[in-house]
């Protein structure tokens, strides 16, 4: 039986699955073979398209002329599919139901091309088995952080008014969008697990089960963030010690009940001993002890624990120049390599700090060969414009994933535990607040499926689906406003990798000294002579020495360190000459003027698209561009004024610095 | 009939009215003459004291040997009383009931001295008829500002859970404390009037009436903050234009109903066209038009409108160096002098900015001879340690009140419309959070009664009442920790009058650049060469020229400007030599080290008092000293590091600067 395609509420943007994207499929004769819930999903998709566009679909019928057959040939868990075309017929086969679903969306993506000429059989298989979104959604609205922590797209898709939403049709539509870009796992609540959210694990697991039920037809497994203190908070035990037998039994029992409610439950996500969350340190236990306890509870059911490596001292003394937050994850976790259970995944942020616009790749990645690592990206634009600025992160993520920390293996290959992104989605009609931020979500899915993919090609895929039948002009315009937007954002914000020049608390807009005297370990040390953090092994915090030899050598010296990370690794005088030939101070001035000019140009391009894109979408983006431009100018002027006041060096071009 | 003395809940600190303060009175034979509610209050006070300590009280009895007679001789509104002693009898007389109440508390203050020797008849009369506390209390908890805006003493005495408190016994006890230090008016809600609070004026006036009823027996009139937009918000009119006849009628009607509920209602407090509050500018009307409309509505009932002069552009562009927030009140209001109705009082903050630890006196005071001005102080320590730091403001307020802006008249004399303080009280057991902050409230009352009073003498009064029978050692210790605390606080915070180096939003703790690139008009312009704001008439914003000739000349030049205001009025190089002979930069270093040393010394003094003061009070103060010291060190290190990094000038004494 075909499963009906979800219908999101009136006014919700179709994102990359507009009806028109299904026209090529919907005008064909289609055969579907196989059985099971996901085959029903595929059947429903095809049936809806055929009904709309005049095609025909048959299920398990005998052979006769078909344009497309979608065939499930087995019952395994593989997500791969094959695609071929010959003798006028396109064939997709898969040995597992998810593969068939991905094959269907592959056909949608190809459009008419899927039905023309000949295609040799090709096999598509995700490079990573876990392609996950972490939602930092709160159930109860947090007094400071709101419904979604660091959320810039309205409320939560899952939770409202302290409970799971009753109508889950939009969650089903969300699952459909995710499947269409290859995502197969979702953690449905914030890693900062507050009092209300703790109960999702036990007496409120039914609400999680409802969400899991809505996501399941699109091949998505549901995960849950839990508090390490659950045995005390929920179980009334006197301890949460991971080696305590009672604690282990409590987790085993609680986990068994989770699986009764959600048989395909994915597992737990845990932020422990981090920014005030409880953890094993309180009991003198290691993070491997903590993770392995949960892994043991999950193992009988096939679940995984995602244990976050984001552990550092957030009560640092800014006067102390020897402690370096960038070192923390490596220092905490590398000694534990080999101690983690097979179903314990260490989830590592891609950079050593916290999702700044420019960071080096975390030295932890590649340094724990005996541990399954997942790499965590941030789709929600906490530090990259909060979905009021256009900042397509594809190129940044791709740079990270293609980098080779050690001989041979890239970050994308080392992420054996999966690729995870903090979600940028909410109940906003455009899903992501800024309509163009949808491209980040889509690109993430593509990179999780294939970390070596060309992000430009993923952007083209996204444009092709989102704007079916786009003219060359529209296509080029969209490429123009998106493709360079990350580097533009970098230009008008914190320079040369130094990071964290943002307003404390909400992190939007500039405040050069906002975190300079804070306990958060985020400093730039600007004085009248120079700026930057000396993280060299020779004279600094030693962080550069955490890398493998080749990278350690590159980062160790200002002469070899890439310009864009210079201030991350070195404290240099304002007159220091970059590889570009410019001084640091002149680079700061120039990039800030350039960045604003680039925003102005992009805004003009967008404005020229009025009439070519959906009016509501055009208006929303135009309104956000106005704010982006205002904010970019504020960034430019504050950063330039700050460094002019400190350095006293005038702009060589004589432009206005306030 | 004696009115029972209010009994605050168990555990509430008695502040300056402990039982023992009534012992001298309570052991005497007392005669009370006169009638009316306030005489009943006096009677109740004396009766309670006599019952406790074995004295005797008679009401309107025939003459026989008495130790003290308290006699009401008329029914006027005068608040004066006479005090004399002869032939073994102490006599207090008053022609109005409030006077008798103040006379009673005068006797309490004198203690045994009131019953010894001979005293020639002396008349005590308040210099100012309005001595008022403005509560910035919200009815509904504000999502950002909380129950009490800028409150550091817990919740509100008046409001909880969105409504007036049911039990008003503590409000009665509060009124008693206020009467004992001479305060006679209270505005019960925040000048930022939010949606819920707006309704106090109309359908929720009953709640205000209940509070007024609780305060009335102690001679305190109740005032209400109202929104200028009330005719629209509450009355459904299309405009709030002060010259619109319908608007004027609406206010007249609403006001008549207020007086039906509260016959002795004091009047309205209005913050208009200020920090986002609505006002007459929207209709092209002047602030005199706005104030006079409300004055007209209040006049038939004997009420007063307090119209705040805190009007400035809070969306200023930091790049614009010509606009100067300090100029705003003068620029807005001086042209209106002579236009305000007799019962419209213009309420002016004592300084031109916003209650910084050091500001010059507002040039508005003295510049509007045909307008009744009230001077507004801030007892709540928004910028002076938030009642976690000891900062007794008596000396600062006294300096302000004694200053003579023009030939002859002091600020205290020019404040014909009264002296007002933003309250520092909440539902905290110690009333003010920090027990020593009670001294600020008491001192404010004393200065409102007599602006020329010696603050040191008021402090002694407070110690005498609060710590009955204090030993010389205790007395001196309390003087030591309090008397210099304002200058200590000044030393370790923003230097030389520059102000606003605080963390944005909550305003606690240092952030040197926190408001430097903000829209709030609060800048210091520090660069690598110097610091301060040029407000001279010759080369700066012209603010110095707003003063009368003598002061304008003093402030105009760095050579004559007092050191402590140098950076308020001038931008000078770090090497500029102060009158003290020190350079500005060395002064910054020295005062910051001294300030912390002074906190350490005060903390030691306090710690030595363990066993000499009530244990709960001692513990609370000790705990706050620990925080004060931590915070003072943070201030010292941030300010010193900031200016060292900017100036590059080493400390002459070679102390550690991070």
């Amino acid at each position: 039986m075909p499963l009906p395609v979800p219908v999101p509420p009136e006014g919700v943007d179709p994102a990359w699955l507009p009806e028109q994207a299904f026209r090529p499929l919907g005008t064909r004769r289609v055969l579907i073979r196989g059985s099971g819930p996901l085959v029903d999903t595929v059947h429903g998709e095809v049936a809806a398209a055929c009904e709309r566009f005049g095609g025909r679909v048959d299920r398990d019928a005998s052979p006769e002329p078909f344009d497309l057959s979608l065939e499930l040939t087995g019952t395994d868990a593989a997500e791969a599919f094959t695609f071929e075309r010959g003798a006028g017929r396109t064939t997709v086969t898969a040995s597992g139901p998810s593969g068939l679903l991905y094959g269907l969306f592959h056909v949608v993506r190809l459009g008419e091309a899927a039905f023309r000429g000949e295609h040799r059989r090709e096999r598509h298989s995700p490079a990573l088995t876990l392609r996950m979104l972490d939602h930092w959604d709160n159930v109860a609205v947090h007094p400071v952080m709101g419904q979604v922590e660091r959320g810039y797209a309205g409320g939560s898709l899952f939770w409202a008014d302290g409970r799971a939403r009753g109508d889950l049709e939009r969650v089903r539509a969300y699952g459909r969008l995710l499947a269409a870009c290859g995502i197969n796992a979702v953690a449905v609540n914030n890693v900062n697990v507050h009092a209300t959210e703790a109960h999702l694990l036990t007496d409120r697991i039914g609400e999680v089960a409802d969400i899991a039920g809505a996501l399941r037809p699109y091949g998505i497994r549901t995960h849950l963030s839990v508090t390490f203190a659950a045995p005390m908070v929920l179980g009334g035990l006197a301890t949460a010690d991971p080696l305590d037998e009672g604690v282990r039994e409590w987790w085993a029992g609680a986990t068994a009940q989770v699986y009764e409610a959600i048989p395909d439950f994915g597992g737990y996500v845990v932020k422990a001993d981090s920014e005030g969350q409880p953890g094993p340190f309180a009991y003198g236990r290691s993070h491997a002890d903590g993770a392995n306890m949960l892994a043991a509870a999950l193992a009988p059911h096939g679940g995984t624990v995602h244990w976050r490596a984001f552990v550092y001292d957030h009560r640092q003394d800014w006067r102390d120049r020897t402690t370096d937050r960038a070192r923390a994850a490596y220092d905490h976790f590398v000694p534990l390599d080999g101690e983690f259970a097979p179903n314990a995944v260490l989830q590592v942020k891609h950079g050593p700090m916290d999702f700044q616009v420019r960071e080096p790749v975390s030295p932890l990645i590649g340094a724990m060969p005996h541990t399954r690592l997942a790499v965590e990206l941030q789709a929600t634009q906490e530090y990259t414009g909060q979905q009021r600025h256009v900042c397509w992160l594809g190129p940044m993520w791709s740079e990270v994933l293609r980098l080779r920390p050690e001989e041979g293996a890239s970050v994308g290959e080392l992420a054996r535990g999966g690729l995870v992104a903090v979600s940028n989605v909410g109940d906003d009609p455009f899903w992501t607040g800024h309509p163009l931020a949808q491209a980040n979500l889509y690109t993430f899915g593509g990179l999780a499926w294939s970390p070596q993919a060309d992000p430009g090609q993923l952007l083209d895929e996204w444009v092709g689906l989102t704007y079916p039948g786009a003219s060359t002009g529209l296509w080029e315009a969209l490429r123009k406003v998106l493709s360079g937007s990350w580097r533009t954002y970098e230009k008008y914000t914190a320079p040369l990798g130094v990071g964290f020049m943002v307003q404390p608390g909400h992190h939007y807009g500039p405040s050069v000294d906002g975190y300079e005297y804070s306990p958060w370990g985020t400093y730039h040390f600007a004085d009248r002579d120079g700026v930057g953090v000396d993280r060299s092994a020779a004279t600094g915090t030693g962080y550069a020495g955490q890398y493998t030899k080749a990278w350690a050598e590159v980062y160790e010296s200002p002469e070899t360190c890439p310009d864009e990370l210079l201030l991350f690794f070195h404290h240099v005088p304002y007159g220091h000459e970059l590889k570009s030939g410019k001084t640091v101070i002149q680079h700061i001035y120039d990039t800030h003027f350039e960045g604003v000019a680039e925003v102005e140009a992009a805004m003009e391009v967008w404005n020229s698209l009025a009439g070519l894109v959906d009016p509501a979408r055009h208006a929303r983006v135009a309104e956000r561009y106005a704010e982006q431009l205002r904010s970019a100018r504020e960034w430019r002027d504050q950063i330039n004024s700050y460094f002019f006041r400190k350095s006293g060096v005038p702009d060589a071009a004589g432009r206005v610095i306030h």
Side-chain angles (χ1 to χ4, degrees), chain A:
Chain A
M1 287 293 295
L3 184 78
V5 173
V7 182
E10 183 72 25
V12 169
D13 190 76
W16 52 85
L17 290 182
E19 289 176 356
Q20 289 301 321
F22 288 81
R23 175 183 286 275
L25 175 75
T27 52
R28 261 59 187 203
R29 290 162 302 167
V30 184
L31 170 67
I32 298 170
R33 285 189 200 275
S35 66
L38 265 63
V39 182
D40 293 344
T41 302
V42 169
H43 189 174
E45 290 282 346
V46 175
C50 288
E51 189 174 339
R52 184 168 300 117
F53 296 108
R56 202 190 84 196
V57 59
D58 285 282
R59 181 103 174 239
D60 296 319
S62 54
E64 55 171 290
F66 287 105
D67 301 311
L68 168 66
S69 72
L70 298 157
E71 306 180 14
L72 178 61
T73 61
T75 57
D76 64 26
E79 298 179 301
F81 62 90
T82 66
F83 176 88
E84 65 189 304
R85 181 168 172 82
R89 181 193 285 182
T90 302
T91 307
V92 170
T93 65
S95 64
S98 294
L100 197 70
L101 186 66
Y102 295 129
L104 166 73
F105 284 120
H106 183 71
V107 170
V108 173
R109 245 186 329 260
L110 288 173
E112 283 299 334
F115 303 97
R116 285 202 208 105
E118 307 271 314
H119 288 281
R120 285 185 51 180
R121 181 185 175 88
E122 54 189 33
R123 187 168 180 274
H124 294 263
S125 175
L128 303 174
T129 53
L130 187 115
R131 307 175 300 280
M132 182 172 187
L133 283 176
D134 281 4
H135 277 257
W136 288 355
D137 295 17
N138 296 314
V139 178
V141 176
H142 187 274
V144 176
M145 290 299 176
Q147 184 82 65
V148 181
E149 180 161 337
R150 309 303 179 188
Y152 313 104
S156 166
L157 287 177
F158 304 128
W159 317 101
D161 299 329
R163 304 203 64 74
R165 286 177 180 274
D167 179 359
L168 294 177
E169 190 70 0
R170 184 143 185 208
V171 173
R172 294 183 65 220
Y174 180 51
R176 180 172 181 249
L177 283 173
L178 298 188
C181 66
I183 291 164
N184 68 353
V186 165
V188 295
N189 64 310
N190 189 358
V191 290
N192 291 315
V193 180
H194 307 293
T196 301
E197 292 74 14
H199 287 267
L200 295 178
L201 175 63
T202 52
D203 48 306
R204 296 183 63 173
I205 190 67
E207 295 169 64
V208 182
D210 289 345
I211 294 167
L215 293 171
R216 186 175 296 114
Y218 283 95
I220 292 163
R221 284 173 85 180
T222 295
H223 296 241
L224 190 67
S225 296
V226 297
T227 172
F228 190 80
M232 302 168 75
V233 176
L234 302 169
L237 302 192
T239 178
D241 182 349
L243 300 193
D244 180 274
E245 207 41 56
V247 170
R248 300 176 72 85
E249 277 168 23
W250 187 88
W251 277 110
T255 304
Q257 292 191 326
V258 168
Y259 276 89
E260 267 184 37
I262 309 167
D264 62 347
F265 180 69
Y268 299 137
V269 179
V270 186
K271 176 178 181 178
D273 289 321
S274 173
E275 298 181 338
Q277 295 294 311
F281 284 164
Y283 310 99
R285 310 302 185 191
S286 78
H287 276 240
D289 293 332
N292 291 346
M293 168 190 65
L294 296 175
L298 288 159
H301 312 282
T304 302
V305 56
H306 282 255
W307 191 269
R308 294 177 87 235
F310 187 52
V311 176
Y312 70 98
D313 178 5
H314 71 290
R315 302 214 180 280
Q316 192 179 324
D317 189 336
W318 59 268
R319 301 164 188 84
D320 163 22
R321 294 227 184 172
T322 61
T323 303
D324 182 2
R325 169 171 166 179
R327 292 186 57 117
Y330 185 101
D331 287 345
H332 278 298
F333 287 97
V334 167
L336 303 178
D337 189 31
E339 296 184 17
F340 287 92
N343 65 328
V345 166
L346 190 64
Q347 187 165 313
V348 185
K349 295 195 183 200
H350 68 83
M353 297 297 282
D354 193 15
F355 302 133
Q356 300 303 293
V357 69
R358 178 74 72 168
E359 293 188 36
V361 166
S362 168
L364 198 55
I365 303 169
M368 298 186 70
H370 307 294
T371 307
R372 278 174 71 201
L373 297 188
V375 172
E376 183 179 300
L377 312 172
Q378 192 183 44
T380 192
Q381 294 170 232
E382 177 176 0
Y383 295 98
T384 50
Q386 302 196 350
Q387 282 134 263
R388 297 197 238 178
H389 297 224
V390 181
C391 187
W392 176 56
L393 295 164
M396 175 168 100
W397 294 337
S398 177
E399 276 187 23
V400 168
L401 293 167
R402 292 179 183 208
L403 185 129
R404 299 183 185 278
E406 53 184 79
E407 203 59 48
S410 68
V411 168
E413 286 155 352
L414 291 164
R416 292 183 294 121
L419 196 66
V420 179
V422 183
S423 169
N424 63 348
V425 168
D427 71 354
D428 174 77
F430 294 95
W431 299 91
T432 52
H434 201 307
L436 298 178
Q438 293 173 1
N440 281 328
L441 185 58
Y442 187 91
T443 304
F444 165 72
L447 289 172
W449 183 279
S450 170
Q452 306 308 316
D454 171 8
Q457 198 175 319
L458 293 169
L459 184 61
D460 276 347
E461 270 182 22
W462 175 79
V463 172
L465 283 167
T466 308
Y467 298 87
S471 65
T472 311
L474 175 57
W475 204 296
E476 278 175 3
L478 287 164
R479 271 203 204 110
K480 214 180 274 178
V481 302
L482 280 158
S483 61
S485 58
W486 165 54
R487 285 193 177 77
T488 296
Y489 187 86
E490 182 182 28
K491 280 184 178 182
Y492 62 75
T493 58
L496 297 165
V498 75
F500 274 106
M501 291 178 169
V502 294
Q503 297 214 19
H506 57 67
H507 298 167
Y508 186 77
S511 177
V512 180
D513 274 2
Y515 278 98
E516 187 58 13
Y517 301 93
S518 81
W520 294 94
T522 49
Y523 315 116
H524 54 65
F525 301 126
D527 63 19
R528 72 198 319 258
D529 302 315
V531 57
V533 189
D534 184 355
R535 291 190 162 105
S536 69
T539 57
T541 67
Y543 167 78
Q546 291 185 336
Y547 287 89
T548 53
K549 188 155 175 292
W551 283 106
E553 281 174 11
V554 165
Y555 292 141
E556 177 68 14
S557 152
E559 308 315 314
T560 50
C561 182
D563 279 355
E564 67 270 16
L565 287 169
L566 182 67
L567 302 184
F568 191 92
F569 282 102
H570 299 283
H571 186 95
V572 298
Y574 293 114
H576 176 89
E577 198 174 295
L578 296 170
K579 290 174 190 58
S580 67
K582 284 182 184 169
T583 61
V584 164
I585 187 73
Q586 193 58 43
H587 172 92
I588 291 174
Y589 298 151
D590 287 349
T591 50
H592 283 78
F593 284 107
E594 285 163 24
V596 171
E598 287 169 17
V599 174
E600 286 165 341
M603 187 169 168
E604 265 184 46
V605 170
W606 183 264
N607 288 342
S608 77
L609 300 182
L612 298 179
V613 305
D614 171 67
R617 198 183 279 173
H618 190 273
R620 171 70 74 91
V621 172
E623 160 211 314
R624 303 243 158 167
Y625 260 123
E627 164 56 19
Q628 180 176 1
L629 182 57
R630 184 209 63 75
S631 176
R633 287 175 175 156
E634 188 66 28
W635 271 101
R636 174 193 66 196
D637 292 344
Q638 283 200 33
I639 299 279
N640 284 349
S641 288
Y642 180 97
F643 284 106
F644 174 66
R645 288 192 195 179
K646 272 231 155 106
S647 70
V649 179
D651 173 34
R655 291 160 292 196
V656 175
I657 295 181
H658 298 274

